[in-house]
Amino acid sequence: MRVLVAADRPPVRDGVALSIAARFPDADIDTAANTPECARLLEREVPDVALIDSDLPPAGAMPLCTRLHGMQVRTLVVVVGGADEALELLESGVAGVISGSEGLAGMVDAVQTVMDGHTHVPSALLGGVLQGLITRNRRQENAHDRVQRLSRREQEVLALLAGGRDPVSIARSLAISPHTAKTHIRHVMSKLEVSSRIEAAALAADLGVGLDPVGGRR
Amino acid sequence: MNVDLAEDRPGRLGRTTVRHVASGAVVRRVDTPVEVALNPTAFALWELCDGNTEVGEMVEAVCQLFEVSPEQAVVDVTNGIRQMREAGLIT
């Protein structure tokens, strides 16, 4: 097993590395003190598990997380924030989050948990993370219900808005006048209960409106 | 999961104290001798029992977070809800 430990403070980095070595004597452990060093080690060594401080300088852990997910590295991030930060990281593809209060023993347990293929969320954050997921699901369902209120033509307009098109371009695509296009846009915004075309486009993007079957824009 | 259960919205009963332990949390109702040890997932579900959150929503969230099958999530959540109900912690 190969493990990467990334934290800028030497006592933390070395302490975690030693604890992991004690639990997993056969593990190869690499350490990094910043995001560029972490990225280099990821490319060269491709660890099985990466344990990263969310505040890793200079860019933080988040930019690395998507990349790690694509490399199928089981990533654990030590969070300093609460459930919102934890949920954002989990949605980016990390295998688990750890809070500082779990201590070294908790961090090592978390490594075992994700190596076993499970997701690790600290008990103290679990309720908040589940609540965050429920709130997001409700928001998406509400958005879906609002889109269902649109007429077929209005849904076509929304799809074009999601593609970043302006009223003149929408009018041309639908073979209607710019005045009619703007009227449709106003109706779309009213039914979706948003106050701008950008909000409407963002809502549509969240729901995948305007995407072709392979995920690209129409 | 039947519709009645999916739309069930359990709420926490009475005033409670919580003591966090290594294996989860111990929840005690101050008005009764009821004291229940909950594992981390059960405690998180207890926190979600606010009288507004449906059991179906809890199942969906557990399914998403732990990447388990819907069938497994239904079993895990409904077992937890039933145990807490039988212990007198929720409606």
Side-chain angles (χ1 to χ4, degrees):
Chain A
M1 178 172 80
R2 183 171 287 279
V3 182
L4 171 61
V5 177
D8 65 325
R9 287 169 293 160
V12 172
R13 189 171 66 239
D14 297 340
V16 172
L18 281 171
S19 295
I20 292 175
R23 175 79 72 88
F24 306 103
D26 294 332
D28 292 315
I29 302 173
D30 299 305
T31 60
N34 52 60
T35 47
E37 197 177 342
C38 190
R40 271 196 303 276
L41 282 167
L42 286 170
E43 291 294 330
R44 200 177 75 204
E45 306 294 347
V46 191
D48 299 291
V49 178
L51 206 161
I52 304 176
D53 190 336
S54 66
D55 280 348
L56 190 69
M62 187 60 84
L64 291 167
C65 290
T66 306
R67 190 167 162 190
L68 285 161
H69 184 60
M71 295 169 70
Q72 298 186 332
V73 176
R74 301 291 284 168
T75 305
L76 284 159
V77 178
V78 181
V79 297
V80 295
D84 289 345
E85 181 189 6
L87 181 55
E88 189 182 358
L89 286 163
L90 289 163
E91 289 182 327
S92 77
V94 304
V97 294
I98 305 172
S99 68
S101 62
E102 291 185 83
L104 289 173
M107 288 187 193
V108 177
D109 286 344
V111 169
Q112 184 67 66
T113 297
V114 301
M115 280 301 295
D116 291 340
H118 304 303
T119 300
H120 180 82
V121 179
S123 306
L125 297 180
L126 186 52
V129 168
L130 288 172
Q131 183 63 66
L133 279 170
I134 289 171
T135 300
R136 188 196 68 182
N137 292 340
R138 285 175 181 168
R139 197 169 55 235
Q140 285 192 333
E141 190 177 331
N142 182 274
H144 178 77
D145 288 344
R146 282 183 273 164
V147 169
Q148 293 300 109
R149 294 181 209 157
L150 303 180
S151 67
R152 184 174 173 169
R153 179 60 104 189
E154 288 163 353
Q155 291 194 17
E156 289 174 340
V157 167
L158 180 61
L160 292 166
L161 281 173
R165 308 282 279 279
D166 63 27
V168 170
S169 171
I170 289 172
R172 202 177 307 123
S173 292
L174 298 179
I176 56 178
S177 71
H179 174 77
T180 303
K182 287 177 185 175
T183 300
H184 284 314
I185 291 170
R186 268 202 311 279
H187 290 167
V188 166
M189 286 168 50
S190 172
K191 289 183 182 180
L192 294 184
E193 299 171 24
V194 298
S195 55
S196 70
R197 297 202 310 261
I198 292 175
E199 262 190 85
L203 189 151
D206 269 353
L207 296 176
V209 172
L211 296 178
D212 69 26
V214 294
R217 293 285 182 195
R218 289 204 189 96
Chain B
M1 183 166 59
N2 67 56
V3 172
D4 286 343
L5 180 58
E7 294 180 351
D8 186 17
R9 301 180 187 208
R12 292 186 289 278
L13 282 171
R15 287 179 51 230
T16 52
T17 61
V18 176
R19 188 173 80 249
H20 292 280
V21 296
S23 55
V26 177
V27 179
R28 181 173 167 271
R29 278 185 61 174
V30 298
D31 54 340
T32 73
V34 172
E35 187 173 276
V36 182
L38 300 175
N39 66 33
T41 303
F43 179 68
L45 293 176
W46 178 77
E47 289 184 301
L48 293 175
C49 292
D50 57 5
N52 289 317
T53 303
E54 295 179 354
V55 170
E57 291 180 303
M58 298 179 198
V59 168
E60 186 180 8
V62 164
C63 203
Q64 289 168 332
L65 179 59
F66 295 112
E67 297 177 324
V68 295
S69 68
E71 294 77 19
Q72 186 62 53
V74 167
V75 168
D76 292 344
V77 172
T78 54
N79 280 346
I81 295 294
R82 186 182 66 251
Q83 286 167 3
M84 287 189 281
R85 192 162 273 156
E86 288 172 355
L89 287 182
I90 61 174
T91 58

